Amino acid sequence: MSKSLSLLSKRAGKINPQSVEDYVSMGGFSALKKALTMEKMEIINEMLDANLLGRGGAAYPAGKKWKQLYNIEGEPKYIVCNADEGEPGTFKDKLLLKDDPMSIIEGMIIAGYVFNSQDGYIYIRGEYRIIQEKFKESLEACEKAGYLGDNICNSGYSFRIHVVSGAGAYVCGENSGLLNSIESKTGRPRVKPPHLAEVGLFSKPTLVNNVESFADVPLIVEMGGKAFAELGSEGDGGSKLVSICGNSVNRKVVEVGLGHVTLRDLIYDEEFGGGIADGKELKFYHLGGQSGPIGFPEQLDTPYTAKALKKEGLSVGSGALVVLDEDMCIIDYLLKVCEFFIHESCGKCTPCREGNRHVHNILTKFAKGTATEEDFERLERLSATMALASSCGLGQAACTALDSCLKHRRAEFEAHMRGECPVCFPKDKEGK
Amino acid sequence: MHIDPNKMVTIKIDGIPVTVPSGTTILEAAAKIGIKIPTLCHHPDMTVRAFCRVCVVEDSWSRRLKTACNNYVDECGEVFTNTPKVRMARKTILEMILANHPQDCLSCPKSGKCELQTLAQEYNLKENSFDSVFTRVPKQEDNPALVRDMSKCIKCGRCVDACQAIQGTNAIGYQNRSTHFSIGTAFDHPLNSTACVLCGQCVAACPVGALSEKDDTERVWDALQNPDLHVVVQVAPAVRVAIGDDFGLPKGSVATGSMVAAMRRLGFDKVFDTNFAADLTIMEEGTELLNRLQNGGKLPMITSCSPGWVNYVEKVYPDMMDNLSSCKSPQQMFGAIAKTYYAEKMGIPKEKMFVVSIMPCIAKKYECQRPEMNDSGAQDVDVVLTTRELAKMIRSRGLDLTSLPEEEFDNPLGLASGAGAIFGTSGGVMEAALRSVYAIVTGKEAGDLDFVGVRGHEAIKEASLDLNGTTVKVAVTSGLKNAKILLDKIRAGECDYQFIEVMCCPGGCVGGGGQPFRTTAAIKAQRMDGLYRIDKKSTYRQSHKNPEIQTLYKEFLGEPNGHKAHELLHTHYTKREIQ
């Protein structure tokens, strides 16, 4: 029996993404019509029942976020969709943006209706240039068909969505950096408090959700929060898009019920990753992008859901699953992760600006075989300081992968200190 | 989170309960119970940036550490400020900062006053466990007043806050990302070709040695040790109420007598008072105002004592240069008088005269080098030192300000009225002018010489005065951001003021860019009080009553705004292009 689901991805590839007719023919906008007849608090209660953990990576309960914003006074309120899908190895939002954009639009309109917003913004990463244009076409089509713009479905409610392009900065995926970028300010995260729900876009109360979270909204309204929650598992409702890539046989986006598959399923099952390419062995896998934790073969039987993963020090994060085979040296890999964060740090707070390069320096020592025992203490202290004291999620999460490796593969670091690594220092046939 | 300052919140910090108004930061609450949480980027008068992260504390509600500078007591559980985790994080952060710092403390202008140095000592940092990532960048010394040594910058953003949020000049800002994150001018243009007015508020804000005034103390030592030179010094009003800071005196202490004694022991031939020149400014500026009022001149007339302010008008509002009073600043009036009237009186050849100014200001270093300021036939003021530089010279001479006797200024340029003294605070020039103008126009003595309407700390102060049936409306402001508000109103024709006092630095010269470090709004207020105390105790409280001023006009200048006065005491302004 197939372990994959087809809810979020049911229309992908089957419809013309810019056709309202096609979208409606496959159930589109029925949730919107239903929502427009519902009390606002009813919709929020469905969101709460759904146990939807935010799909951007931080896994903040979406229903809770909605309820908080609902209780905040102030007008106007803005709806912002974070489509700055920047976590390396993550391309699940791309599937929705490209193949089913109207599900995102529908989710945003429902959110707009709940908060009585007039304007929504979708911030699409700069690299998705063609998608941005197509998305605008979809918006126009929706407006023409009366699902967007003035007097939506004759309900008297009006809402517009504006497309804003990112320009390549990973840190603009951080919600407050993203809002600054929309406001034409430098894309650096803001100091919090104040929280975005209170002082968000243009200093007004703002809801920021991920693409997939918004696409989940019509599903929740349609099937009810409880039914949605049951697709997943305890405290982590719904289905989830997972982008699998790296050294796996298949590189693609799959949809699974949270908690109904294990990591082993995701990597080895024919309909998912399909195993390791070229007959190699699995060495490790990186979950949730560069800011996520690294898992190892002995953790493969962990169910793919928040609670079970957390017990193993893992997480869903952005929904990325990057598979690495035996030819990858952990130290080399961590150096690349670190280079990424050095490149993407906004630079304003000390732990992130300065910390990443010291981590890189020390990892380089390990790579060259010149590290000492004290370097472990340094790495641990840097990682702890960055996680505890950085200003935003970027710095706080920059050492997550390093932490996983230090915890589970310390021996590999130690071997490097001795100049032993099957990848970096291969022995010849005589074992020299 | 709802902040209601009328609501009280009680939290426990290190086990000690503290009750503070809602909206109080953890940092402020901790200070209330005597716990000083270390900071670098935080400044009580500035916006919160939370860049440095040194002020992290543990909060029982949060698994991460929280910065004490921006998190409110409303949103935390029990706070711990000295746990192993907190100390580990603070130490690591300091080590990271130091690994990217030149650590040439011995030759650093900030040594002894550096907030990073202090923290490094407090946290017992000896050897850095991280390898140095420091690279030197060239010092920027392309102007006569201000040095930027970005090798030392710790990226706390205080200078940017001073330049953007407080002054609104926006000459400097943030550049680049990550390890390249830095602070500089747009496209790295030289400071003087940007909107920078050299006010030095960035220097006053800098916690380390990245920003400093151009050090001119060696030039003064050279002059003092040159037997051929007659070296006179003038000292600005705001210096005497601030210099005590550097010698451990209570804030706002009036240290005039011991400061005069110290300068005499440094070897100055004569110790004079800029307050005298302030009285002279009132004579000229008051007369100019009356002329403009009576003869349909350009109104409102705006004061021109503050060189940063003059720079601002020339650079940003050149269309309003005619509104500026043509009077030179007191320091430049002093220079011109010292090298003419005084030199002639004493029979000293001009070229042997060396005039030093002690100013609370960095822009004065630029002002004295302006080509217009040569009306005596030479550069009227040779060197300007800041309050901080004077303190440094006093220490270098081995003098302790606190144990020196009180001495008097020399004559004839040392006698001043109380009106001259209050030039050092926002509102002071206006009050001094009103005292004399009122007496001159009405021929009556004001019952009360305290024009309190123009005193205080509000952003824009207004008052009006009845001059023989004509109401004169005046306004007072300080800080360029506030000045900009006024200028825009004037430009839009929304103001009916006749006279406006503007001082470049918030609070006036008491908060000047050359004053002792770690000045706050509270300290400025204490210095203001000090100046008003001097005024209150003065024998003469109106500039025109100063007998030395009367003598100067009688013997030398003739009439206020007369031919000679115009030649020596007035100036003109030039539009300056900015990039």
Side-chain angles (χ1 to χ4, degrees), chain A residues 188 191-193 195 198 342-350 354 357-358 378 381 387-389 396, chain B residues 1 49 51-53 64-65 70-71 75 88 92 95-97 100 129 131 176-179 181:
Chain A
R188 283 202 176 91
V191 178
K192 281 156 272 179
H195 307 288
E198 294 169 313
I342 291 174
H343 187 259
E344 297 296 347
S345 166
C346 90
K348 73 171 189 174
C349 85
T350 316
E354 303 296 335
R357 59 170 141 183
H358 289 295
R378 289 187 189 115
R381 199 147 56 87
L388 288 167
Q396 288 162 6
Chain B
M1 177 182 48
R49 272 151 279 112
F51 283 3
C52 76
R53 316 303 286 178
R64 298 192 197 282
L65 299 177
N70 72 310
N71 279 288
E75 277 190 318
M88 180 278 296
T92 308
E95 276 185 273
M96 288 194 255
I97 295 173
N100 189 18
S129 44
D131 292 338
N176 302 322
R177 304 195 309 175
S178 190
T179 52
F181 179 64

Side-chain angles (χ1 to χ4, degrees), chain B residues 161-171 312 480-481 484:
Chain B
D161 210 81
C163 193
Q164 296 190 352
I166 295 180
Q167 291 293 54
T169 30
N170 301 321
Y312 186 69
L480 294 176
K481 202 168 193 182
K484 186 175 176 13

